[in-house]
Amino acid sequence: FIGDFDGKTFVCDTEPQVTKWLDYGKDHYAAVTFSNTGDRAISVAWMSAWPYADRTPTEQFRSVNSLPRDISLFSMGNDIYASAMPSEEVYALRSSKSALGSFSIGDSLSNEVSVGGLDAYEVSFSLHTQQKGKTSVSFHNKSGEKFSIDFDTENMTVKADRSESGLMTDIESYVQMPDAPLDLCTPYDGYDVDIFIDKCSVEIFIDGGRIAMTNLVFPAEQFDRIMFDGTGKTEIRDLCVYKIGK
């Protein structure tokens, strides 16, 4: 909820029928902020959701926390929205970098990149659509499991797909995913994408956190390959993979 607070009364700027999501994933719940961070608003959420929280395949704990995120405001048209981007301290955890360059994908052209051997890693790139269509960025492992992020520039949506990602995929409420509106992003021909992959989570940030998506995954083994494909003509620029942690 975005509006004005005078210390006693909050007045919301948004019409009651309009929802402004801070996160378009399924596993961003009970976010809390800290009071000792100066002018920064830093948030951490619990990665889970009540429809299946008691069924996650964990022992002695029930899911983990999200990456800490700096919350900011941005304007789009006549509205104000909140963005969520990993805090600068997260990027200090990068311990190595693989610069993999730029390439084009399209109707009969795809590209696969190996990231084998990394337990936790970050993938960053910009996605430039030169022709409207669908672009898929999918993470695969040797067990045949995958997690996909699907950009649809005809309908202006982006959506995560974990229906083949491993355990829990027999639970309908776990598999169903919402669409995020790409028109929240800067209106130009490309999108800046930052993705953090851990052993049981995928956290996605688009255009400086104007769209954030947080989702649990339970694969048999870590995703070690990235596949880029789609319809239309799309260019992937400045693809980098960073190892996170030592």
Side-chain angles (χ1 to χ4, degrees):
F1 300 96
I2 297 171
D4 294 299
F5 181 58
D6 64 5
K8 292 184 178 180
T9 304
F10 174 77
V11 179
C12 187
D13 288 343
T14 307
E15 295 295 327
Q17 66 271 21
V18 177
T19 301
K20 295 179 177 178
W21 293 103
L22 185 61
D23 194 289
Y24 285 88
K26 293 293 288 285
D27 300 301
H28 184 269
Y29 183 77
V32 296
T33 55
F34 298 86
S35 61
N36 60 344
T37 56
D39 293 333
R40 297 169 65 189
I42 300 176
S43 170
V44 173
W46 178 51
M47 288 199 285
S48 197
W50 283 118
Y52 47 78
D54 61 339
R55 299 178 66 181
T56 53
T58 59
E59 296 180 4
Q60 298 181 329
F61 75 102
R62 189 60 66 190
S63 294
V64 295
N65 287 339
S66 70
L67 292 172
R69 306 172 186 189
D70 275 58
I71 309 300
S72 304
L73 298 177
F74 69 93
S75 297
M76 178 59 68
N78 296 321
D79 280 320
I80 299 175
Y81 297 85
S83 64
M85 196 64 182
S87 299
E88 60 186 37
E89 291 83 357
V90 172
Y91 294 99
L93 298 175
R94 292 171 171 172
S95 59
S96 66
K97 174 182 178 180
S98 297
L100 302 173
S102 304
F103 50 87
S104 296
I105 55 176
D107 288 331
S108 59
L109 189 64
S110 61
N111 196 51
E112 183 176 293
V113 174
S114 174
V115 292
L118 300 181
D119 286 334
Y121 58 95
E122 173 196 354
V123 179
S124 69
F125 57 90
S126 60
L127 185 151
H128 297 260
T129 53
Q130 299 169 344
Q131 182 181 352
K132 287 186 177 181
K134 297 181 179 180
T135 301
S136 174
V137 181
S138 53
F139 296 81
H140 300 251
N141 63 20
K142 294 181 179 65
S143 298
E145 299 160 337
K146 70 176 183 177
F147 177 96
S148 301
I149 307 162
D150 299 320
F151 294 82
D152 183 344
T153 53
E154 283 193 287
N155 297 303
M156 292 301 291
T157 62
V158 59
K159 185 176 186 176
D161 182 349
R162 61 182 176 187
S163 61
E164 300 177 62
S165 63
L167 298 177
M168 298 277 288
T169 53
D170 59 332
I171 302 172
E172 185 177 359
S173 60
Y174 177 85
V175 171
Q176 290 177 338
M177 288 289 189
D179 293 328
L182 277 175
D183 52 13
L184 284 178
C185 298
T186 307
Y188 82 121
D189 71 334
Y191 305 99
D192 295 324
V193 183
D194 208 5
I195 307 166
F196 289 82
I197 309 287
D198 207 344
K199 288 187 176 181
C200 68
S201 63
V202 181
E203 298 180 64
I204 306 159
F205 305 91
I206 302 172
D207 269 11
R210 289 182 175 218
I211 294 175
M213 293 187 284
T214 304
N215 291 293
L216 292 172
V217 287
F218 300 100
E221 55 189 319
Q222 182 59 298
F223 300 117
D224 59 2
R225 291 176 291 119
I226 313 171
M227 176 68 76
F228 297 84
D229 59 16
T231 61
K233 187 177 181 182
T234 300
E235 186 177 358
I236 304 297
R237 298 179 187 171
D238 302 318
L239 174 64
C240 292
V241 176
Y242 300 90
K243 180 181 178 182
I244 298 298
K246 296 181 179 180

